[in-house]
Amino acid sequence: MRVDLCLKNLFPGEDPPANPDAKYLEALDNIVAWCGELGLYVIMDMHSYLPDMQMVPDFWTKPAYRERIGAAWVFLAARYKDNPVACGADLYNEPWN
């Protein structure tokens, strides 16, 4: 199952992976657990940077945006590294935008 993620909902501050949103992580953990119970696998998709489900228009020109997404993926990889249900990642949804 593809699970869309929003960076600013996962990490409301400006410094991922500092201070992740506990409720967002709990919901993500529940989705992964439920998928496991159903025999499904999860592919996490960094679908948006902002809560409006849009990526920032100057993503390619501002390294800070890419660094934040990279830090978020390092955090998520460490969190789910021993969980075979979380089997994949779409690092940046539709990067041509």
Side-chain angles (χ1 to χ4, degrees):
M1 169 183 275
R2 179 180 143 186
V3 176
D4 293 345
L5 305 175
C6 171
L7 183 73
K8 291 300 277 183
N9 286 341
L10 179 59
F11 297 102
E14 293 299 317
D15 296 314
N19 303 314
D21 184 276
K23 289 186 180 198
Y24 194 92
L25 282 177
E26 180 182 4
L28 186 56
D29 288 345
N30 287 336
I31 291 169
V32 171
W34 294 329
C35 286
E37 291 170 11
L38 296 170
L40 301 173
Y41 295 97
V42 169
I43 297 172
M44 296 180 193
D45 170 28
M46 190 62 69
H47 195 79
S48 67
Y49 190 93
L50 302 170
D52 62 3
M53 296 308 285
Q54 299 295 316
M55 288 306 219
V56 291
D58 48 359
F59 177 81
W60 297 112
T61 60
K62 293 195 176 180
Y65 291 135
R66 295 188 304 280
E67 291 166 8
R68 290 178 190 139
I69 287 178
W73 279 119
V74 169
F75 173 86
L76 291 167
R79 185 175 184 88
Y80 295 104
K81 69 180 178 166
D82 296 322
N83 189 330
V85 174
C87 70
D90 184 353
L91 301 179
Y92 185 78
N93 187 62
E94 300 169 6
W96 59 81
N97 292 352

